[in-house]
Amino acid sequence: MTADGSGGMSSEPETSDSLKTFGAVLKALREEAGLTQEQFAPRVQYSSHYIAKIEQGKRFPPKDLPVRSEPVLGLPARRIIEAAVRTLTKGAGLASWFKKWAIIEETAISLYAYECRVIPGLLQPEAYVRALFERRLPPLAEEELEEKVAARLERQRLLMERPNTSFSFIIEQALLERRLGGRDVTMAVVDRLLEVGSWRNVEIQLMPLRQEDHSGSGGQMYLAETPDHQWVGYFEGHDSSTLLTSPKLASSMLQRYGKMRSQALSRQATASLLEQMRGAQ
């Protein structure tokens, strides 16, 4: 098999204090202006909770934070914030074996995902992300857990920032029936799927519990179309991953994915089922 992967590599992320440093810079500028988080947040049109998370180093700053900060903190502060943003390590909190795929995600013009293990990372609400990492074995230290949560939520900006990218997700209905994390977490997932599934460039399909004609027996798969229209495949397993760059292998994955799209519930039927699940809880 022709593959470019890093199977067997450690899942430990490369540690970085860049987010904490950025948070400290923002906090110092805010305090220099004589503002509390509660006073600063509405002036830059974010919640005080979000600003607190950024200052704690638990969230990546949004792209427009420097621009929004200028009327509140002044032009010199904006320039400092912009410089601090450039120093951030984009891969903080990401497993080393995942980073190649994360880079591909950033520029892909099409992204497809079939998941039979967990809800795809780009669609996970924070409560579900935490439920996953809190159950990780061996257990994560609190600081590492927060870093991983922040990194996963940061990745989700792709859905908002790339309106011209086509996103397709096929998700096993069984993942919702499992209720990982409990009822409230599952409802947060259902709400998230309904919200994102209504966007013009995103298609979400549930694979029903009973489907005798199922082409996904090979397991989870991810596919990306690069800007030069080449397809790349990806899959994970037990703290390792494999990146498939062979056109032949990517073609096989595309064929299986295309077949599964016809086997899964339609976009409209998926939305109806999700609404039923929400009402039945």
Side-chain angles (χ1 to χ4, degrees), residues 4 53 73 84 89 98 109 135 144 151-152 166 173 184 197 201 205 208 234 241 246 278:
D4 177 14
K53 290 291 188 181
L73 303 178
T89 303
F98 178 78
I109 59 176
R135 289 159 176 76
E144 186 181 0
R152 183 154 300 181
S166 174
Q173 181 184 341
D184 290 345
N201 64 322
Q205 297 177 263
Y234 173 84
S241 67
S246 161
R278 173 195 272 166

Side-chain angles (χ1 to χ4, degrees), residues 30-87:
R30 172 181 60 76
E31 291 180 341
E32 181 67 21
L35 298 172
T36 65
Q37 289 178 347
E38 290 72 19
Q39 293 169 330
F40 176 67
R43 299 185 189 188
V44 292
Q45 302 175 52
Y46 293 111
S47 70
S48 57
H49 176 74
Y50 189 33
I51 294 299
K53 290 291 188 181
I54 294 174
E55 291 187 357
Q56 292 164 13
K58 297 178 180 179
R59 292 288 186 278
F60 276 82
K63 280 188 173 181
D64 56 359
L65 180 60
V67 174
R68 294 192 189 188
S69 297
E70 181 179 347
V72 184
L73 303 178
L75 179 58
R78 171 183 172 174
R79 290 174 175 167
I80 292 172
I81 293 173
E82 288 175 336
V85 167
R86 289 193 291 270
T87 68

Side-chain angles (χ1 to χ4, degrees), residues 11-141:
S11 64
E12 295 294 320
E14 295 176 10
T15 57
S16 170
D17 291 330
S18 55
L19 279 176
K20 291 182 180 179
T21 300
F22 179 87
V25 169
L26 180 63
K27 180 179 179 181
L29 293 171
R30 172 181 60 76
E31 291 180 341
E32 181 67 21
L35 298 172
T36 65
Q37 289 178 347
E38 290 72 19
Q39 293 169 330
F40 176 67
R43 299 185 189 188
V44 292
Q45 302 175 52
Y46 293 111
S47 70
S48 57
H49 176 74
Y50 189 33
I51 294 299
K53 290 291 188 181
I54 294 174
E55 291 187 357
Q56 292 164 13
K58 297 178 180 179
R59 292 288 186 278
F60 276 82
K63 280 188 173 181
D64 56 359
L65 180 60
V67 174
R68 294 192 189 188
S69 297
E70 181 179 347
V72 184
L73 303 178
L75 179 58
R78 171 183 172 174
R79 290 174 175 167
I80 292 172
I81 293 173
E82 288 175 336
V85 167
R86 289 193 291 270
T87 68
L88 288 177
T89 303
K90 299 296 290 182
L94 297 179
S96 57
W97 45 262
F98 178 78
K99 288 182 179 180
K100 285 185 180 180
W101 181 253
I103 293 171
I104 290 171
E105 278 188 331
E106 290 280 345
T107 58
I109 59 176
S110 299
L111 275 171
Y112 297 170
Y114 163 63
E115 268 293 358
C116 53
R117 309 177 311 163
V118 295
I119 301 301
L122 291 177
L123 300 176
Q124 296 172 3
E126 182 172 349
Y128 187 86
V129 176
R130 290 188 175 279
L132 286 174
F133 286 131
E134 286 169 357
R135 289 159 176 76
R136 177 71 66 85
L137 293 173
L140 300 173

Side-chain angles (χ1 to χ4, degrees), residues 187-235:
M187 286 303 95
V189 173
V190 170
D191 289 342
R192 173 72 171 164
L193 296 182
L194 281 168
E195 175 194 3
V196 178
S198 68
W199 297 352
R200 188 167 47 83
N201 64 322
V202 180
E203 181 179 63
I204 297 177
Q205 297 177 263
L206 289 181
M207 184 67 76
L209 289 173
R210 293 181 178 84
Q211 174 53 275
E212 295 181 2
D213 186 20
H214 193 327
S215 299
S217 58
Q220 167 223 55
M221 72 172 81
Y222 285 78
L223 286 154
E225 183 183 9
T226 65
D228 59 353
H229 305 292
Q230 302 297 312
W231 283 91
V232 180
Y234 173 84
F235 62 89

